[in-house]
Amino acid sequence: MNAARRPARGSASPTTPAITPAPAAARRPRQSVRQVASAWLSGIRFSGFSIIMMGVLVLAVVVLAPSIAEYAKQRQQIAELKADVARQEAAVAELAEERERWNDETFIVTQARERLYYVRPGEVSYLVIDDRAPSGSSSADRAVSAEVTELRGDWMQTLLRSMMTAGLAPSAGSGSSPAPAPTPAPEPTDQPADEGTR
């Protein structure tokens, strides 16, 4: 009885025709992007728990965003103040070192000689004025070379030029106005004063 109702697995029943699968494109009509998006959105179902969690997240962002911005601003101010404190500590250390130098008597004497041109009793101080041109004085600030350099020049011409410059220079007392002509001294007379009255 069961055998009459069920056909064998290997044999096809003569009453049911064979079904061939149709291609996917033929089964589904072509849909636009908007239709697909609207179908996808309509398929989304929100539960009450997910809505509550999304509300909590939005509330947390709204509440915490200003606090996080303020925290970042305060951290930046702290970093700037730490850098300022480090600069001031370096300045204080430099001033303390200078104060210690001023406690040394040798340093004080050196500063008095260099800055104020003081000398000890019995010493003679010579002040050399740099009369070179600015281009010549700037060459003294250059780095000193380890090589020995020799300037070749005629020292006789240099000496003669220096002597001529010193000899032809105007005297120290003469200014821009010419010196007044000397008044002639009265000529002495051969006669005594009492003989002229006779």
mmCIF file of all heavy atoms in Angstrom, residues 83-119:
data_model
loop_
_atom_site.group_PDB
_atom_site.id
_atom_site.type_symbol
_atom_site.label_atom_id
_atom_site.label_comp_id
_atom_site.label_asym_id
_atom_site.label_seq_id
_atom_site.Cartn_x
_atom_site.Cartn_y
_atom_site.Cartn_z
ATOM 1 N N ALA A 83 55.255 74.978 30.603
ATOM 2 C CA ALA A 83 56.368 75.514 29.808
ATOM 3 C C ALA A 83 56.807 76.871 30.351
ATOM 4 O O ALA A 83 58.015 77.165 30.426
ATOM 5 C CB ALA A 83 55.958 75.624 28.344
ATOM 6 N N ASP A 84 55.846 77.697 30.777
ATOM 7 C CA ASP A 84 56.172 79.002 31.352
ATOM 8 C C ASP A 84 56.927 78.846 32.664
ATOM 9 O O ASP A 84 57.897 79.562 32.936
ATOM 10 C CB ASP A 84 54.889 79.792 31.563
ATOM 11 C CG ASP A 84 55.155 81.256 31.871
ATOM 12 O OD1 ASP A 84 56.238 81.742 31.532
ATOM 13 O OD2 ASP A 84 54.264 81.909 32.463
ATOM 14 N N VAL A 85 56.504 77.890 33.487
ATOM 15 C CA VAL A 85 57.200 77.633 34.754
ATOM 16 C C VAL A 85 58.623 77.157 34.493
ATOM 17 O O VAL A 85 59.574 77.566 35.180
ATOM 18 C CB VAL A 85 56.408 76.605 35.595
ATOM 19 C CG1 VAL A 85 57.243 76.063 36.736
ATOM 20 C CG2 VAL A 85 55.135 77.234 36.132
ATOM 21 N N ALA A 86 58.804 76.314 33.482
ATOM 22 C CA ALA A 86 60.151 75.834 33.158
ATOM 23 C C ALA A 86 61.041 76.989 32.710
ATOM 24 O O ALA A 86 62.218 77.062 33.109
ATOM 25 C CB ALA A 86 60.070 74.761 32.073
ATOM 26 N N ARG A 87 60.491 77.922 31.898
ATOM 27 C CA ARG A 87 61.281 79.083 31.478
ATOM 28 C C ARG A 87 61.653 79.957 32.670
ATOM 29 O O ARG A 87 62.787 80.431 32.785
ATOM 30 C CB ARG A 87 60.493 79.900 30.449
ATOM 31 C CG ARG A 87 60.501 79.325 29.055
ATOM 32 C CD ARG A 87 60.003 80.340 28.036
ATOM 33 N NE ARG A 87 58.647 80.772 28.323
ATOM 34 C CZ ARG A 87 57.553 80.207 27.854
ATOM 35 N NH1 ARG A 87 57.667 79.159 27.061
ATOM 36 N NH2 ARG A 87 56.357 80.663 28.160
ATOM 37 N N GLN A 88 60.692 80.172 33.585
ATOM 38 C CA GLN A 88 60.977 81.004 34.753
ATOM 39 C C GLN A 88 61.985 80.337 35.678
ATOM 40 O O GLN A 88 62.840 81.016 36.270
ATOM 41 C CB GLN A 88 59.679 81.308 35.493
ATOM 42 C CG GLN A 88 58.772 82.267 34.742
ATOM 43 C CD GLN A 88 57.476 82.542 35.467
ATOM 44 O OE1 GLN A 88 57.223 81.984 36.526
ATOM 45 N NE2 GLN A 88 56.651 83.405 34.896
ATOM 46 N N GLU A 89 61.915 79.031 35.814
ATOM 47 C CA GLU A 89 62.901 78.333 36.648
ATOM 48 C C GLU A 89 64.298 78.445 36.044
ATOM 49 O O GLU A 89 65.287 78.606 36.769
ATOM 50 C CB GLU A 89 62.508 76.866 36.809
ATOM 51 C CG GLU A 89 61.345 76.652 37.764
ATOM 52 C CD GLU A 89 60.941 75.196 37.865
ATOM 53 O OE1 GLU A 89 61.441 74.370 37.066
ATOM 54 O OE2 GLU A 89 60.113 74.880 38.748
ATOM 55 N N ALA A 90 64.392 78.370 34.708
ATOM 56 C CA ALA A 90 65.696 78.544 34.063
ATOM 57 C C ALA A 90 66.224 79.957 34.291
ATOM 58 O O ALA A 90 67.427 80.152 34.548
ATOM 59 C CB ALA A 90 65.581 78.248 32.568
ATOM 60 N N ALA A 91 65.342 80.961 34.228
ATOM 61 C CA ALA A 91 65.766 82.342 34.477
ATOM 62 C C ALA A 91 66.211 82.525 35.918
ATOM 63 O O ALA A 91 67.200 83.206 36.197
ATOM 64 C CB ALA A 91 64.627 83.306 34.136
ATOM 65 N N VAL A 92 65.490 81.906 36.861
ATOM 66 C CA VAL A 92 65.871 81.999 38.285
ATOM 67 C C VAL A 92 67.220 81.340 38.521
ATOM 68 O O VAL A 92 68.071 81.868 39.251
ATOM 69 C CB VAL A 92 64.773 81.366 39.168
ATOM 70 C CG1 VAL A 92 65.267 81.158 40.585
ATOM 71 C CG2 VAL A 92 63.530 82.237 39.173
ATOM 72 N N ALA A 93 67.455 80.196 37.882
ATOM 73 C CA ALA A 93 68.745 79.523 38.041
ATOM 74 C C ALA A 93 69.872 80.373 37.468
ATOM 75 O O ALA A 93 70.961 80.465 38.062
ATOM 76 C CB ALA A 93 68.697 78.161 37.343
ATOM 77 N N GLU A 94 69.612 81.031 36.334
ATOM 78 C CA GLU A 94 70.641 81.895 35.746
ATOM 79 C C GLU A 94 70.931 83.086 36.643
ATOM 80 O O GLU A 94 72.090 83.469 36.834
ATOM 81 C CB GLU A 94 70.159 82.364 34.374
ATOM 82 C CG GLU A 94 71.183 83.172 33.614
ATOM 83 C CD GLU A 94 70.679 83.570 32.236
ATOM 84 O OE1 GLU A 94 69.662 83.027 31.784
ATOM 85 O OE2 GLU A 94 71.329 84.439 31.627
ATOM 86 N N LEU A 95 69.881 83.685 37.233
ATOM 87 C CA LEU A 95 70.090 84.815 38.137
ATOM 88 C C LEU A 95 70.814 84.384 39.410
ATOM 89 O O LEU A 95 71.653 85.128 39.942
ATOM 90 C CB LEU A 95 68.746 85.462 38.472
ATOM 91 C CG LEU A 95 68.066 86.220 37.326
ATOM 92 C CD1 LEU A 95 66.685 86.675 37.740
ATOM 93 C CD2 LEU A 95 68.909 87.400 36.898
ATOM 94 N N ALA A 96 70.500 83.193 39.904
ATOM 95 C CA ALA A 96 71.205 82.700 41.099
ATOM 96 C C ALA A 96 72.681 82.472 40.795
ATOM 97 O O ALA A 96 73.555 82.780 41.628
ATOM 98 C CB ALA A 96 70.555 81.406 41.576
ATOM 99 N N GLU A 97 72.961 81.973 39.602
ATOM 100 C CA GLU A 97 74.363 81.769 39.221
ATOM 101 C C GLU A 97 75.087 83.105 39.100
ATOM 102 O O GLU A 97 76.231 83.242 39.528
ATOM 103 C CB GLU A 97 74.406 81.014 37.892
ATOM 104 C CG GLU A 97 75.806 80.693 37.417
ATOM 105 C CD GLU A 97 75.796 79.957 36.091
ATOM 106 O OE1 GLU A 97 74.720 79.499 35.648
ATOM 107 O OE2 GLU A 97 76.877 79.846 35.495
ATOM 108 N N GLU A 98 74.406 84.117 38.551
ATOM 109 C CA GLU A 98 75.033 85.442 38.443
ATOM 110 C C GLU A 98 75.250 86.054 39.832
ATOM 111 O O GLU A 98 76.265 86.701 40.081
ATOM 112 C CB GLU A 98 74.148 86.356 37.589
ATOM 113 C CG GLU A 98 74.783 87.706 37.335
ATOM 114 C CD GLU A 98 73.952 88.558 36.411
ATOM 115 O OE1 GLU A 98 72.962 88.054 35.849
ATOM 116 O OE2 GLU A 98 74.293 89.738 36.270
ATOM 117 N N ARG A 99 74.305 85.826 40.753
ATOM 118 C CA ARG A 99 74.482 86.326 42.114
ATOM 119 C C ARG A 99 75.687 85.681 42.780
ATOM 120 O O ARG A 99 76.453 86.336 43.487
ATOM 121 C CB ARG A 99 73.221 86.059 42.932
ATOM 122 C CG ARG A 99 73.276 86.667 44.322
ATOM 123 C CD ARG A 99 72.110 86.253 45.143
ATOM 124 N NE ARG A 99 72.127 84.796 45.315
ATOM 125 C CZ ARG A 99 71.107 84.099 45.778
ATOM 126 N NH1 ARG A 99 69.990 84.692 46.101
ATOM 127 N NH2 ARG A 99 71.193 82.795 45.917
ATOM 128 N N GLU A 100 75.883 84.383 42.536
ATOM 129 C CA GLU A 100 77.051 83.708 43.091
ATOM 130 C C GLU A 100 78.341 84.267 42.496
ATOM 131 O O GLU A 100 79.355 84.373 43.187
ATOM 132 C CB GLU A 100 76.958 82.202 42.827
ATOM 133 C CG GLU A 100 75.879 81.508 43.626
ATOM 134 C CD GLU A 100 76.084 81.652 45.122
ATOM 135 O OE1 GLU A 100 77.251 81.579 45.578
ATOM 136 O OE2 GLU A 100 75.089 81.864 45.847
ATOM 137 N N ARG A 101 78.299 84.647 41.217
ATOM 138 C CA ARG A 101 79.499 85.246 40.614
ATOM 139 C C ARG A 101 79.808 86.588 41.250
ATOM 140 O O ARG A 101 80.982 86.945 41.425
ATOM 141 C CB ARG A 101 79.296 85.420 39.102
ATOM 142 C CG ARG A 101 79.421 84.158 38.314
ATOM 143 C CD ARG A 101 79.677 84.432 36.847
ATOM 144 N NE ARG A 101 78.702 85.314 36.259
ATOM 145 C CZ ARG A 101 77.652 84.937 35.554
ATOM 146 N NH1 ARG A 101 77.443 83.658 35.357
ATOM 147 N NH2 ARG A 101 76.810 85.807 35.050
ATOM 148 N N TRP A 102 78.761 87.351 41.597
ATOM 149 C CA TRP A 102 78.998 88.651 42.213
ATOM 150 C C TRP A 102 79.498 88.532 43.651
ATOM 151 O O TRP A 102 79.959 89.512 44.231
ATOM 152 C CB TRP A 102 77.726 89.504 42.171
ATOM 153 C CG TRP A 102 77.515 90.131 40.826
ATOM 154 C CD1 TRP A 102 76.666 89.727 39.865
ATOM 155 C CD2 TRP A 102 78.203 91.268 40.291
ATOM 156 N NE1 TRP A 102 76.761 90.526 38.755
ATOM 157 C CE2 TRP A 102 77.700 91.495 38.996
ATOM 158 C CE3 TRP A 102 79.193 92.119 40.780
ATOM 159 C CZ2 TRP A 102 78.149 92.527 38.184
ATOM 160 C CZ3 TRP A 102 79.640 93.151 39.971
ATOM 161 C CH2 TRP A 102 79.122 93.347 38.690
ATOM 162 N N ASN A 103 79.433 87.382 44.242
ATOM 163 C CA ASN A 103 80.015 87.178 45.573
ATOM 164 C C ASN A 103 81.521 86.981 45.501
ATOM 165 O O ASN A 103 82.190 87.007 46.534
ATOM 166 C CB ASN A 103 79.367 85.967 46.261
ATOM 167 C CG ASN A 103 77.939 86.263 46.693
ATOM 168 O OD1 ASN A 103 77.578 87.406 46.914
ATOM 169 N ND2 ASN A 103 77.129 85.226 46.788
ATOM 170 N N ASP A 104 82.055 86.765 44.296
ATOM 171 C CA ASP A 104 83.490 86.562 44.118
ATOM 172 C C ASP A 104 84.168 87.925 43.944
ATOM 173 O O ASP A 104 83.768 88.731 43.103
ATOM 174 C CB ASP A 104 83.721 85.680 42.883
ATOM 175 C CG ASP A 104 85.194 85.313 42.726
ATOM 176 O OD1 ASP A 104 85.972 85.520 43.675
ATOM 177 O OD2 ASP A 104 85.550 84.822 41.642
ATOM 178 N N GLU A 105 85.214 88.192 44.750
ATOM 179 C CA GLU A 105 85.887 89.493 44.699
ATOM 180 C C GLU A 105 86.616 89.700 43.374
ATOM 181 O O GLU A 105 86.651 90.810 42.845
ATOM 182 C CB GLU A 105 86.873 89.605 45.861
ATOM 183 C CG GLU A 105 87.525 90.964 45.965
ATOM 184 C CD GLU A 105 88.468 91.070 47.146
ATOM 185 O OE1 GLU A 105 88.411 90.209 48.029
ATOM 186 O OE2 GLU A 105 89.247 92.027 47.161
ATOM 187 N N THR A 106 87.170 88.639 42.816
ATOM 188 C CA THR A 106 87.887 88.763 41.544
ATOM 189 C C THR A 106 86.928 89.184 40.427
ATOM 190 O O THR A 106 87.273 90.022 39.575
ATOM 191 C CB THR A 106 88.546 87.425 41.183
ATOM 192 O OG1 THR A 106 89.338 86.992 42.290
ATOM 193 C CG2 THR A 106 89.413 87.558 39.954
ATOM 194 N N PHE A 107 85.746 88.631 40.430
ATOM 195 C CA PHE A 107 84.755 88.995 39.412
ATOM 196 C C PHE A 107 84.358 90.462 39.554
ATOM 197 O O PHE A 107 84.188 91.175 38.556
ATOM 198 C CB PHE A 107 83.529 88.086 39.535
ATOM 199 C CG PHE A 107 82.464 88.361 38.520
ATOM 200 C CD1 PHE A 107 82.610 87.945 37.207
ATOM 201 C CD2 PHE A 107 81.317 89.044 38.880
ATOM 202 C CE1 PHE A 107 81.626 88.204 36.270
ATOM 203 C CE2 PHE A 107 80.331 89.306 37.947
ATOM 204 C CZ PHE A 107 80.484 88.881 36.644
ATOM 205 N N ILE A 108 84.202 90.917 40.801
ATOM 206 C CA ILE A 108 83.819 92.317 41.023
ATOM 207 C C ILE A 108 84.910 93.257 40.525
ATOM 208 O O ILE A 108 84.640 94.271 39.862
ATOM 209 C CB ILE A 108 83.528 92.563 42.515
ATOM 210 C CG1 ILE A 108 82.288 91.769 42.935
ATOM 211 C CG2 ILE A 108 83.335 94.037 42.805
ATOM 212 C CD1 ILE A 108 82.009 91.798 44.407
ATOM 213 N N VAL A 109 86.173 92.913 40.799
ATOM 214 C CA VAL A 109 87.286 93.749 40.332
ATOM 215 C C VAL A 109 87.327 93.771 38.812
ATOM 216 O O VAL A 109 87.510 94.824 38.178
ATOM 217 C CB VAL A 109 88.618 93.238 40.927
ATOM 218 C CG1 VAL A 109 89.807 93.922 40.274
ATOM 219 C CG2 VAL A 109 88.641 93.462 42.429
ATOM 220 N N THR A 110 87.124 92.619 38.201
ATOM 221 C CA THR A 110 87.151 92.546 36.734
ATOM 222 C C THR A 110 86.030 93.387 36.130
ATOM 223 O O THR A 110 86.242 94.119 35.154
ATOM 224 C CB THR A 110 87.005 91.087 36.280
ATOM 225 O OG1 THR A 110 88.026 90.311 36.892
ATOM 226 C CG2 THR A 110 87.107 90.961 34.790
ATOM 227 N N GLN A 111 84.839 93.309 36.714
ATOM 228 C CA GLN A 111 83.722 94.090 36.184
ATOM 229 C C GLN A 111 83.959 95.583 36.381
ATOM 230 O O GLN A 111 83.599 96.396 35.512
ATOM 231 C CB GLN A 111 82.416 93.670 36.862
ATOM 232 C CG GLN A 111 81.968 92.269 36.521
ATOM 233 C CD GLN A 111 81.697 92.111 35.042
ATOM 234 O OE1 GLN A 111 81.057 92.953 34.425
ATOM 235 N NE2 GLN A 111 82.186 91.032 34.472
ATOM 236 N N ALA A 112 84.552 95.971 37.506
ATOM 237 C CA ALA A 112 84.834 97.392 37.740
ATOM 238 C C ALA A 112 85.859 97.906 36.731
ATOM 239 O O ALA A 112 85.755 99.034 36.253
ATOM 240 C CB ALA A 112 85.339 97.598 39.163
ATOM 241 N N ARG A 113 86.835 97.083 36.392
ATOM 242 C CA ARG A 113 87.828 97.499 35.389
ATOM 243 C C ARG A 113 87.212 97.589 33.997
ATOM 244 O O ARG A 113 87.474 98.531 33.258
ATOM 245 C CB ARG A 113 88.995 96.516 35.368
ATOM 246 C CG ARG A 113 89.929 96.616 36.545
ATOM 247 C CD ARG A 113 91.033 95.571 36.415
ATOM 248 N NE ARG A 113 91.905 95.583 37.550
ATOM 249 C CZ ARG A 113 92.988 96.355 37.661
ATOM 250 N NH1 ARG A 113 93.291 97.181 36.700
ATOM 251 N NH2 ARG A 113 93.738 96.294 38.736
ATOM 252 N N GLU A 114 86.396 96.596 33.623
ATOM 253 C CA GLU A 114 85.872 96.561 32.260
ATOM 254 C C GLU A 114 84.724 97.547 32.054
ATOM 255 O O GLU A 114 84.658 98.209 31.023
ATOM 256 C CB GLU A 114 85.393 95.147 31.932
ATOM 257 C CG GLU A 114 86.509 94.148 31.785
ATOM 258 C CD GLU A 114 86.001 92.739 31.499
ATOM 259 O OE1 GLU A 114 84.762 92.558 31.442
ATOM 260 O OE2 GLU A 114 86.835 91.845 31.341
ATOM 261 N N ARG A 115 83.814 97.633 33.001
ATOM 262 C CA ARG A 115 82.632 98.467 32.810
ATOM 263 C C ARG A 115 82.846 99.921 33.207
ATOM 264 O O ARG A 115 82.400 100.828 32.517
ATOM 265 C CB ARG A 115 81.455 97.904 33.610
ATOM 266 C CG ARG A 115 80.970 96.560 33.136
ATOM 267 C CD ARG A 115 79.745 96.155 33.902
ATOM 268 N NE ARG A 115 79.258 94.842 33.512
ATOM 269 C CZ ARG A 115 78.150 94.287 33.976
ATOM 270 N NH1 ARG A 115 77.428 94.931 34.878
ATOM 271 N NH2 ARG A 115 77.761 93.097 33.568
ATOM 272 N N LEU A 116 83.508 100.128 34.339
ATOM 273 C CA LEU A 116 83.633 101.487 34.877
ATOM 274 C C LEU A 116 85.032 102.072 34.702
ATOM 275 O O LEU A 116 85.255 103.221 35.097
ATOM 276 C CB LEU A 116 83.265 101.471 36.371
ATOM 277 C CG LEU A 116 81.874 100.904 36.687
ATOM 278 C CD1 LEU A 116 81.679 100.805 38.185
ATOM 279 C CD2 LEU A 116 80.800 101.752 36.050
ATOM 280 N N TYR A 117 85.948 101.295 34.163
ATOM 281 C CA TYR A 117 87.339 101.734 33.910
ATOM 282 C C TYR A 117 88.019 102.182 35.201
ATOM 283 O O TYR A 117 88.760 103.153 35.227
ATOM 284 C CB TYR A 117 87.379 102.865 32.872
ATOM 285 C CG TYR A 117 86.686 102.498 31.588
ATOM 286 C CD1 TYR A 117 85.483 103.082 31.237
ATOM 287 C CD2 TYR A 117 87.231 101.547 30.736
ATOM 288 C CE1 TYR A 117 84.830 102.732 30.073
ATOM 289 C CE2 TYR A 117 86.590 101.193 29.566
ATOM 290 C CZ TYR A 117 85.395 101.779 29.239
ATOM 291 O OH TYR A 117 84.756 101.440 28.089
ATOM 292 N N TYR A 118 87.767 101.471 36.295
ATOM 293 C CA TYR A 118 88.434 101.759 37.554
ATOM 294 C C TYR A 118 89.828 101.144 37.536
ATOM 295 O O TYR A 118 90.067 100.118 36.898
ATOM 296 C CB TYR A 118 87.652 101.175 38.733
ATOM 297 C CG TYR A 118 86.453 101.975 39.157
ATOM 298 C CD1 TYR A 118 86.005 103.053 38.421
ATOM 299 C CD2 TYR A 118 85.752 101.647 40.292
ATOM 300 C CE1 TYR A 118 84.900 103.779 38.815
ATOM 301 C CE2 TYR A 118 84.641 102.363 40.693
ATOM 302 C CZ TYR A 118 84.221 103.436 39.937
ATOM 303 O OH TYR A 118 83.131 104.139 40.329
ATOM 304 N N VAL A 119 90.747 101.778 38.269
ATOM 305 C CA VAL A 119 92.095 101.238 38.430
ATOM 306 C C VAL A 119 92.453 101.300 39.907
ATOM 307 O O VAL A 119 91.868 102.063 40.671
ATOM 308 C CB VAL A 119 93.125 102.039 37.599
ATOM 309 C CG1 VAL A 119 92.902 101.847 36.114
ATOM 310 C CG2 VAL A 119 93.104 103.510 37.956
#
